[in-house]
Amino acid sequence: MTLEDIPDIMIIEHESFTLPWSEEAFRNELTMNHFAKYLVMELDGKPIAYGGMWTIVDEAHITNIAVRTAHRGQGLGETLLLQLIQLAMEYRIERMTLEVRKSNLVAQALYSKLGFEPAGIRKGYYSDNQEDAIIMWYELPEQQLWEEEGSEEIDE
Protein backbone atom coordinates (compact mmCIF):
# COMPACT_ATOMS: atom_id res chain seq x y z
CA MET A 1 0.00 0.00 0.00
CA THR A 2 1.17 3.49 -0.81
CA LEU A 3 -0.11 6.93 0.13
CA GLU A 4 -1.56 7.20 -3.38
CA ASP A 5 -3.76 4.16 -2.64
CA ILE A 6 -5.52 5.81 0.31
CA PRO A 7 -8.49 7.38 -1.59
CA ASP A 8 -9.40 3.96 -3.02
CA ILE A 9 -8.71 2.27 0.32
CA MET A 10 -11.22 4.67 1.92
CA ILE A 11 -13.92 3.43 -0.48
CA ILE A 12 -13.16 -0.17 0.48
CA GLU A 13 -13.08 0.81 4.16
CA HIS A 14 -16.50 2.46 4.05
CA GLU A 15 -18.02 -0.45 2.12
CA SER A 16 -16.62 -2.95 4.62
CA PHE A 17 -16.82 -1.57 8.14
CA THR A 18 -19.35 0.23 10.32
CA LEU A 19 -16.38 1.87 12.07
CA PRO A 20 -14.09 2.74 9.14
CA TRP A 21 -10.58 4.00 9.74
CA SER A 22 -9.86 7.58 8.70
CA GLU A 23 -7.51 8.72 5.95
CA GLU A 24 -5.26 10.08 8.68
CA ALA A 25 -5.13 6.66 10.36
CA PHE A 26 -3.90 5.07 7.13
CA ARG A 27 -1.38 7.89 6.55
CA ASN A 28 -0.02 7.32 10.05
CA GLU A 29 0.16 3.57 9.46
CA LEU A 30 2.17 4.07 6.26
CA THR A 31 4.45 6.87 7.43
CA MET A 32 4.89 6.55 11.19
CA ASN A 33 4.19 2.96 12.27
CA HIS A 34 7.27 0.90 11.44
CA PHE A 35 5.44 -2.21 12.73
CA ALA A 36 2.72 -1.86 10.05
CA LYS A 37 2.73 -3.92 6.85
CA TYR A 38 -0.08 -3.47 4.29
CA LEU A 39 -0.82 -5.31 1.05
CA VAL A 40 -3.13 -4.18 -1.76
CA MET A 41 -4.81 -6.21 -4.51
CA GLU A 42 -5.43 -4.24 -7.68
CA LEU A 43 -7.58 -4.62 -10.76
CA ASP A 44 -6.71 -2.37 -13.69
CA GLY A 45 -4.37 -0.40 -11.44
CA LYS A 46 -7.04 0.33 -8.79
CA PRO A 47 -7.13 -1.22 -5.30
CA ILE A 48 -10.03 -3.64 -4.84
CA ALA A 49 -8.87 -5.25 -1.59
CA TYR A 50 -6.31 -4.76 1.12
CA GLY A 51 -5.00 -6.37 4.27
CA GLY A 52 -2.71 -5.24 7.02
CA MET A 53 -0.88 -6.37 10.11
CA TRP A 54 1.49 -5.14 12.76
CA THR A 55 4.62 -7.22 13.33
CA ILE A 56 5.96 -6.98 16.86
CA VAL A 57 8.90 -9.21 17.82
CA ASP A 58 7.61 -12.73 17.04
CA GLU A 59 3.89 -11.95 16.76
CA ALA A 60 1.69 -10.39 14.11
CA HIS A 61 -1.64 -8.73 14.73
CA ILE A 62 -3.93 -8.60 11.71
CA THR A 63 -5.50 -5.15 11.68
CA ASN A 64 -7.81 -5.33 8.66
CA ILE A 65 -8.77 -7.41 5.66
CA ALA A 66 -11.32 -5.86 3.33
CA VAL A 67 -12.61 -6.40 -0.21
CA ARG A 68 -14.71 -4.10 -2.41
CA THR A 69 -18.34 -5.17 -2.37
CA ALA A 70 -18.36 -5.94 -6.12
CA HIS A 71 -15.44 -8.37 -5.75
CA ARG A 72 -16.53 -10.34 -2.68
CA GLY A 73 -17.08 -14.07 -2.86
CA GLN A 74 -14.15 -14.61 -5.23
CA GLY A 75 -11.60 -15.78 -2.64
CA LEU A 76 -9.72 -12.46 -2.51
CA GLY A 77 -9.95 -12.25 1.28
CA GLU A 78 -8.48 -15.73 1.58
CA THR A 79 -5.70 -14.86 -0.87
CA LEU A 80 -4.88 -11.73 1.13
CA LEU A 81 -4.81 -13.66 4.39
CA LEU A 82 -2.51 -16.28 2.85
CA GLN A 83 -0.22 -13.49 1.61
CA LEU A 84 -0.14 -11.94 5.10
CA ILE A 85 0.76 -15.34 6.56
CA GLN A 86 3.54 -15.70 3.97
CA LEU A 87 4.83 -12.21 4.77
CA ALA A 88 4.74 -13.02 8.49
CA MET A 89 6.83 -16.13 7.84
CA GLU A 90 9.36 -14.01 5.94
CA TYR A 91 9.63 -11.83 9.05
CA ARG A 92 10.10 -15.00 11.15
CA ILE A 93 6.85 -14.42 13.00
CA GLU A 94 5.80 -17.38 15.18
CA ARG A 95 2.11 -16.62 15.74
CA MET A 96 -0.64 -14.36 14.48
CA THR A 97 -3.74 -12.96 16.13
CA LEU A 98 -6.85 -10.99 15.21
CA GLU A 99 -10.22 -9.93 16.54
CA VAL A 100 -13.40 -10.62 14.63
CA ARG A 101 -16.99 -9.60 15.35
CA LYS A 102 -18.97 -12.36 17.00
CA SER A 103 -21.63 -11.88 14.28
CA ASN A 104 -19.16 -12.11 11.37
CA LEU A 105 -19.55 -15.81 10.67
CA VAL A 106 -18.13 -15.56 7.13
CA ALA A 107 -14.82 -14.15 8.40
CA GLN A 108 -14.72 -16.63 11.28
CA ALA A 109 -15.16 -19.50 8.83
CA LEU A 110 -12.30 -18.21 6.68
CA TYR A 111 -9.98 -17.79 9.65
CA SER A 112 -10.85 -21.25 10.98
CA LYS A 113 -10.35 -22.80 7.53
CA LEU A 114 -6.79 -21.43 7.48
CA GLY A 115 -5.95 -22.62 11.00
CA PHE A 116 -6.90 -19.74 13.31
CA GLU A 117 -8.46 -20.93 16.56
CA PRO A 118 -10.70 -19.01 18.99
CA ALA A 119 -8.88 -18.19 22.21
CA GLY A 120 -11.10 -15.72 24.04
CA ILE A 121 -13.62 -12.92 23.87
CA ARG A 122 -13.24 -9.15 24.21
CA LYS A 123 -16.55 -8.05 25.72
CA GLY A 124 -18.07 -4.94 24.11
CA TYR A 125 -15.01 -4.47 21.88
CA TYR A 126 -16.80 -2.69 19.03
CA SER A 127 -17.87 0.80 20.06
CA ASP A 128 -20.63 1.18 17.45
CA ASN A 129 -22.87 -1.45 19.05
CA GLN A 130 -20.82 -2.90 21.95
CA GLU A 131 -20.57 -6.22 20.10
CA ASP A 132 -18.09 -8.75 21.46
CA ALA A 133 -14.98 -9.68 19.50
CA ILE A 134 -13.66 -13.20 19.25
CA ILE A 135 -9.88 -13.34 19.65
CA MET A 136 -8.31 -15.89 17.32
CA TRP A 137 -4.71 -17.15 17.16
CA TYR A 138 -2.70 -18.98 14.54
CA GLU A 139 0.63 -20.72 15.14
CA LEU A 140 2.79 -20.47 12.04
CA PRO A 141 4.48 -23.65 10.83
CA GLU A 142 8.00 -24.35 12.06
CA GLN A 143 10.57 -22.78 9.76
CA GLN A 144 14.02 -24.02 8.89
CA LEU A 145 16.48 -21.17 8.53
CA TRP A 146 18.62 -22.79 5.89
CA GLU A 147 15.58 -23.24 3.63
CA GLU A 148 14.38 -19.64 4.11
CA GLU A 149 17.76 -18.11 3.48
CA GLY A 150 18.40 -20.27 0.47
CA SER A 151 21.46 -21.87 2.04
CA GLU A 152 22.61 -25.13 0.61
CA GLU A 153 23.09 -28.23 2.65
CA ILE A 154 26.66 -28.90 3.66
CA ASP A 155 27.99 -32.42 3.12
CA GLU A 156 30.03 -33.65 6.04
Side-chain angles (χ1 to χ4, degrees):
M1 183 184 297
T2 67
L3 292 172
E4 292 75 29
D5 293 325
I6 292 176
D8 291 308
I9 296 303
M10 293 310 301
I11 294 169
I12 299 167
E13 190 72 4
H14 283 273
E15 287 183 355
S16 302
F17 301 111
T18 56
L19 290 171
W21 284 17
S22 67
E23 284 189 37
E24 182 179 351
F26 282 103
R27 285 187 192 287
N28 288 337
E29 287 291 281
L30 296 178
T31 60
M32 301 180 75
N33 184 353
H34 65 276
F35 299 113
K37 316 289 183 234
Y38 284 86
L39 303 176
V40 172
M41 296 181 92
E42 295 182 340
L43 179 65
D44 299 326
K46 293 289 234 181
I48 59 168
Y50 79 94
M53 67 181 172
W54 297 331
T55 57
I56 304 168
V57 189
D58 61 351
E59 294 182 358
H61 180 93
I62 295 177
T63 57
N64 344 47
I65 295 177
V67 178
R68 289 285 318 251
T69 304
H71 299 283
R72 292 184 186 154
Q74 301 173 22
L76 301 182
E78 181 174 349
T79 299
L80 269 171
L81 184 53
L82 288 168
Q83 289 297 312
L84 288 170
I85 290 169
Q86 180 62 43
L87 185 60
M89 291 177 71
E90 291 171 16
Y91 281 96
R92 295 196 170 97
I93 298 297
E94 295 178 10
R95 65 194 63 80
M96 299 179 84
T97 187
L98 55 83
E99 290 93 7
V100 59
R101 284 183 186 266
K102 189 175 181 181
S103 64
N104 193 344
L105 301 179
V106 172
Q108 289 175 48
L110 170 62
Y111 302 142
S112 294
K113 174 183 174 183
L114 296 183
F116 284 78
E117 296 181 2
I121 296 194
R122 294 196 197 282
K123 293 281 186 193
Y125 182 76
Y126 295 98
S127 61
D128 63 330
N129 64 0
Q130 303 308 305
E131 184 175 357
D132 295 345
I134 298 173
I135 305 163
M136 300 183 83
W137 283 90
Y138 174 70
E139 299 289 328
L140 275 79
E142 293 281 328
Q143 304 171 50
Q144 293 189 18
L145 289 178
W146 63 269
E147 287 180 346
E148 286 183 6
E149 296 173 355
S151 301
E152 297 181 14
E153 280 188 64
I154 300 173
D155 293 329
E156 296 184 348

